[in-house]
Amino acid sequence: MKKYLLMVLLSLGLLSQPAMALTLNEARAQGRVGETLSGYLAPLKQDKETLALVKQINAARSENYQQLADSNNLPVDEVAKMAGQKLVSRAQPGEYVQGLNGKWLKK
């Protein structure tokens, strides 16, 4: 019985972890994050899960921007700004983007 209970608890723990993880698309749809012209994601909600997602996504973007900058002999901030313009323009209806004036707009 103990062995069965332990297996059930372990299975629930393993299955519930991925189900609880917030994805970028979910965060966008829920209005928890928004795209900026700087090329980086910004949190609109300050909860732990959203902040962790933003940190993870921005770290990956930073790494990609650096690789692109190095391979194209460009400054990394220029690459990030080009990406930011594309990300803002490609945002889906209902998602938030930051305008030139710094205010958040819902597309």
Side-chain angles (χ1 to χ4, degrees), residues 25-81:
N25 287 337
E26 290 170 342
R28 284 177 174 154
Q30 294 170 13
R32 296 168 80 165
V33 299
E35 292 293 347
T36 68
L37 292 169
S38 70
Y40 294 96
L41 201 60
L44 297 172
K45 306 289 182 192
Q46 298 299 315
D47 61 278
K48 185 177 179 180
E49 193 175 28
T50 300
L51 294 174
L53 177 69
V54 168
K55 183 177 180 180
Q56 175 189 3
I57 296 296
N58 284 342
R61 285 184 181 183
S62 181
E63 188 175 310
N64 287 335
Y65 296 160
Q66 186 64 58
Q67 289 174 356
L68 284 169
D70 291 345
S71 65
N72 291 291
N73 295 321
L74 293 169
V76 71
D77 61 325
E78 189 175 320
V79 172
K81 286 179 184 178

